[in-house]
Amino acid sequence: TTGARIFSGIQPSADSLQIGNYIGALLQWKEMQVTNDAIFCVVDLHAITVPQDPALLREQTRRTAAQYIAAGIDPEQAILFVQSQVPAHAQLAWILNTITGFGEASRMTQFKDKAARQGADAASLGLFAYPTLMAADILLYSAEEVPVGDDQRQHVELARDLAGRFNSRFGETFVVPKAVIPTETARIYDLQNPEAKMSKSAASDNGIIWMLDEPARTAKKIKSAVTDDQREIRFDRAAKPGVSNLLTILSAFTGTGIPALEEQFTGRGYGDLKSTVADAVVATFEPIRSRALALLDDTAELDRLLSRGAERAEAIAQPMLERVYDRVGL
Ligand code: ADP
Ligand code: NA
């Protein structure tokens, strides 16, 4: 592994990951762990920026880690760990809070969206500080590249600004990271509402394809996906969001480009497209599901593996935190 240091994470905010996490994150990570020095995290401190059930969070943290491994993240090749097990994340986040402008943080669109959903009074200070915690995740490891979906672009931008600001105020300390965003066609939308990004935390489960769902349920959801009242299978995000979303999924799961798929489906119906997508998704997710469930059968072994990951992460994070404390006069 001679490539750049990369860091990325997913929140353990549901029992299962969804297909957008797989296409937008895990698929990229799996490739990058071979060529890069990769660090992958289950970001449980981020998950508590919205209210959590403690027992459920603990369970979902394990389930998320198991799904990383089941989907192909190799805990030997990459460092795989749980964020809260390395205290330096919370400690650096506090320091970064002190150099972040209130107005600057207020401009983060994810905060505005999530706060609007919760109601301004229900939203926590932790939710507001989500982006500085994410900056800490990245900067602690001197990550050069951060593979994320384009919904996280603004947060990585903030991490860059904070790295530069800290360096100019206190002396060269952090690597200025850059976002590695998969192409526009790696963004997956809700099957029932193909204008909205698919998300673990969506209000309704009907439009979400879960990695750990029963294959029959996954197939049924795909076959009930919202399309349009035309008959043409063509990629056009604005005019045909449902069909475009199905083509995106099929392209990611088969490795066939979208133009080739459009050609392949000329003159064929939406039912045909949906069955093809369902078969492709089930063929990939069924073995991932079995592997994840097997890993979750032995939580002692999984926990051991995660603590070893945390030790490896800490060996990088702790010296950086000490350098930062020293620089700021602590
Ligand atoms: P979620 O919105 O499902 O809770 P997270 O916020 O935990 O997902 O994000 C984990 C990773 O998955 C990020 O890199 C994010 O950009 C990516 N991701 C999440 N949803 C999608 C989606 N619908 N399409 C593409 N990538 C996504
Ligand atoms: Na997200």
Side-chain angles (χ1 to χ4, degrees):
T1 66
T2 49
R5 163 77 55 81
I6 64 167
F7 180 96
S8 199
I10 298 180
Q11 299 182 71
S13 47
D15 286 344
S16 172
L17 297 181
Q18 44 92 5
I19 197 169
N21 303 135
Y22 181 76
I23 294 173
L26 288 167
L27 266 182
Q28 268 69 242
W29 297 3
K30 214 166 80 166
E31 308 257 302
M32 292 175 112
Q33 71 180 345
V34 180
T35 48
N36 292 72
D37 177 4
I39 304 177
F40 301 122
C41 189
V42 178
V43 291
D44 55 348
L45 294 172
H46 278 105
I48 63 171
T49 58
V50 296
Q52 84 279 18
D53 174 278
L56 199 58
L57 176 64
R58 196 164 289 119
E59 168 73 11
Q60 291 176 342
T61 298
R62 282 202 186 100
R63 289 176 75 91
T64 302
Q67 289 172 87
Y68 281 18
I69 300 169
I73 300 306
D74 175 355
E76 297 301 324
Q77 198 159 39
I79 295 180
L80 165 58
F81 74 107
V82 175
Q83 187 185 31
S84 64
Q85 292 181 10
V86 179
H89 289 252
Q91 292 170 293
L92 179 59
W94 179 256
I95 310 282
L96 295 178
N97 283 338
T98 67
I99 64 162
T100 305
F102 187 85
E104 184 176 38
S106 305
R107 284 191 291 275
M108 296 293 122
T109 58
Q110 179 179 283
F111 173 73
K112 287 194 270 191
D113 292 347
K114 288 189 179 178
R117 256 183 275 145
Q118 286 187 57
D121 290 332
S124 68
L125 196 52
L127 184 65
F128 189 60
Y130 183 112
T132 49
L133 177 59
M134 181 165 155
D137 298 341
I138 299 164
L139 301 184
L140 269 180
Y141 299 94
S142 307
E144 299 159 81
E145 295 180 1
V146 188
V148 284
D150 73 343
D151 57 321
Q152 297 299 319
R153 187 192 295 275
Q154 194 184 27
H155 290 165
V156 179
E157 211 43 56
L158 179 72
R160 292 171 56 82
D161 290 345
L162 294 177
R165 189 174 309 158
F166 188 99
N167 289 348
S168 64
R169 206 171 288 179
F170 299 108
E172 206 59 30
T173 307
F174 293 127
V175 167
V176 179
K178 68 172 197 286
V180 181
I181 314 248
T183 55
E184 194 253 338
T185 53
R187 181 170 235 211
I188 307 302
Y189 296 82
D190 191 285
L191 295 181
Q192 289 302 317
N193 178 17
E195 255 107 59
K197 189 194 88 137
M198 191 184 291
S199 171
K200 280 185 249 102
S201 42
S204 162
D205 155 88
N206 293 337
I208 305 177
I209 303 174
W210 299 108
M211 249 168 64
L212 299 186
D213 242 351
E214 309 250 334
R217 209 172 126 71
T218 295
K220 187 158 174 246
K221 278 185 174 173
I222 293 170
K223 287 173 186 170
S224 326
V226 166
T227 47
D228 52 59
D229 53 16
Q230 305 165 343
R231 306 173 133 260
E232 202 188 353
I233 298 178
R234 180 169 56 82
F235 188 92
D236 181 339
R237 190 77 87 192
K240 303 173 74 67
V243 169
S244 302
N245 196 33
L246 291 169
L247 285 170
T248 302
I249 295 171
L250 189 57
S251 174
F253 276 70
T254 58
T256 307
I258 288 184
L261 290 176
E262 287 174 326
E263 195 165 319
Q264 197 178 307
F265 278 93
T266 307
R268 292 165 68 182
Y270 290 173
D272 199 353
L273 173 64
K274 288 176 177 178
S275 301
T276 309
V277 174
D279 289 347
V281 172
V282 165
T284 301
F285 277 0
E286 206 169 17
I288 291 180
R289 177 173 188 266
S290 318
R291 277 197 294 275
L293 296 180
L295 287 160
L296 289 164
D297 260 350
D298 189 354
T299 50
E301 168 62 14
L302 183 59
D303 289 352
R304 197 192 54 78
L305 210 139
L306 291 172
S307 5
R308 223 163 48 76
E311 278 167 29
R312 290 171 67 198
E314 183 134 44
I316 304 170
Q318 191 57 31
M320 175 59 96
L321 183 76
E322 282 164 21
R323 195 145 63 239
V324 168
Y325 267 38
D326 182 58
R327 291 268 151 95
V328 300
L330 295 170

